[in-house]
Amino acid sequence: MILYESVMQEHKKSYITHDIKIPEIISGNPFLILMLEHLEIGLGLQEKTISDLCKENNIDEGLFLTMINLYAGNTPSETVSYSPGVIGKIILYLRNSHQYYLEEKYPLIKSYIEEINSLNNGSREIKMIGMFFENYFREVSEHLDYENSIVFPYVTSLNDILNGKEDFKAGNYSVKDYLEHHNDIEEKLEDLYNLLIRYIPQKNDGRLRRKLLFALFELEYDLKIHSMIEEKILIPLVEEMEFIRNSSL
């Protein structure tokens, strides 16, 4: 949380609008490359504006502006209205971010901790860091699995129902259940990197510790955005979708 706020203060610019060129925005905040990757948008952007990029990739401009301004530390002024395509892009973004955490960041961070542990002959402090991260990521994995297996299929099914692609089937699940399970999965990372910075003496692991800290910072930053997109965009849209469905019964 502290990292997100400090980076936001550093990179915060004037509000991002549709006519700004994407490469200029990335130069001011390279974390935006992750956003594009989660949306499956490649680089080689030339002089494309946000409008150009949205048209080319069939992305709702209001959604894209809301997301990119969250990354830039701005409070979005756009209202993201429901449409089938909007829901599809949000789910795509979130599923790809989950894959990034599970298949890229977690193995990388784990490997750094194991290397540091080896360099320090299995010291008690580094073993404690390893256990802390394993327990933390077990919680994260459970959170992501719940979203992948319960939340996203529900939202996709609800989207299909509203667009006549699927018949309504009564069920007990709703966005209220999601809200009860939703938490900020990035917050405990602050405890982890504070241990590494403040309390565990550095021996011959300086380069690896720096790599580990950078990986933790990047993970925390993207997780924070992930949570904000769910809270500020997805959940309000699902509430709107449920209202539309219930009004038509």
Side-chain angles (χ1 to χ4, degrees), residues 11-200:
H11 292 292
K12 190 171 182 178
K13 308 292 182 184
S14 58
Y15 196 80
I16 297 172
T17 56
H18 67 93
D19 55 345
I20 298 178
K21 294 177 180 179
I22 289 286
E24 295 175 0
I25 307 171
I26 293 174
S27 296
N29 184 354
F31 282 105
L32 292 171
I33 294 172
L34 278 173
M35 174 185 160
L36 296 180
E37 183 177 311
H38 296 336
L39 287 169
E40 298 184 355
I41 299 174
L43 299 179
L45 298 165
Q46 301 176 355
E47 299 300 312
K48 292 173 185 173
T49 64
I50 286 176
S51 286
D52 296 331
L53 199 71
C54 289
K55 289 175 184 175
E56 186 177 288
N57 292 275
N58 195 28
I59 298 176
D60 179 87
E61 198 170 286
L63 172 64
F64 192 89
L65 284 168
T66 298
M67 294 173 73
I68 202 167
N69 275 292
L70 286 175
Y71 266 88
N74 298 318
T75 301
S77 61
E78 292 79 20
T79 299
V80 181
S81 300
Y82 165 71
S83 75
V86 162
I87 295 300
K89 290 297 182 183
I90 295 171
I91 299 300
L92 173 73
Y93 173 95
L94 294 173
R95 283 193 181 278
N96 283 336
S97 65
H98 289 188
Q99 186 176 14
Y100 165 73
Y101 306 143
L102 294 170
E103 298 181 8
E104 183 175 337
K105 297 310 294 183
Y106 169 65
L108 179 65
I109 290 170
K110 183 179 179 182
S111 71
Y112 287 152
I113 293 173
E114 289 174 348
E115 287 185 70
I116 292 172
N117 186 49
S118 178
L119 283 174
N120 288 278
N121 299 315
S123 73
R124 183 178 64 84
E125 292 88 354
I126 302 302
K127 284 183 177 179
M128 178 182 67
I129 290 292
M131 291 175 60
F132 185 101
F133 185 72
E134 287 288 345
N135 290 333
Y136 165 74
F137 215 84
R138 190 175 300 114
E139 291 181 27
V140 171
S141 297
E142 290 173 359
H143 174 98
L144 301 183
D145 182 64
Y146 173 77
E147 291 186 344
N148 286 337
S149 61
I150 304 295
V151 179
F152 298 162
Y154 168 71
V155 175
T156 300
S157 177
L158 185 57
N159 193 37
D160 288 343
I161 288 167
L162 295 185
N163 292 278
K165 296 179 181 179
E166 184 177 314
D167 294 332
F168 173 69
K169 299 179 181 66
N172 295 323
Y173 192 82
S174 77
V175 72
K176 291 181 181 179
D177 299 292
Y178 183 25
L179 285 167
E180 290 177 2
H181 283 84
H182 198 261
N183 51 46
D184 294 328
I185 54 177
E186 78 283 351
E187 289 185 352
K188 288 186 179 180
L189 283 176
E190 185 180 332
D191 296 331
L192 183 54
Y193 63 68
N194 272 327
L195 284 172
L196 289 164
I197 293 170
R198 295 173 182 269
Y199 301 112
I200 298 179

Side-chain angles (χ1 to χ4, degrees), residues 226-241:
H226 176 277
S227 294
M228 291 173 71
I229 286 172
E230 291 176 337
E231 292 167 8
K232 296 180 181 295
I233 306 177
L234 180 63
I235 289 174
L237 282 175
V238 176
E239 290 173 334
E240 181 183 348
M241 292 163 69

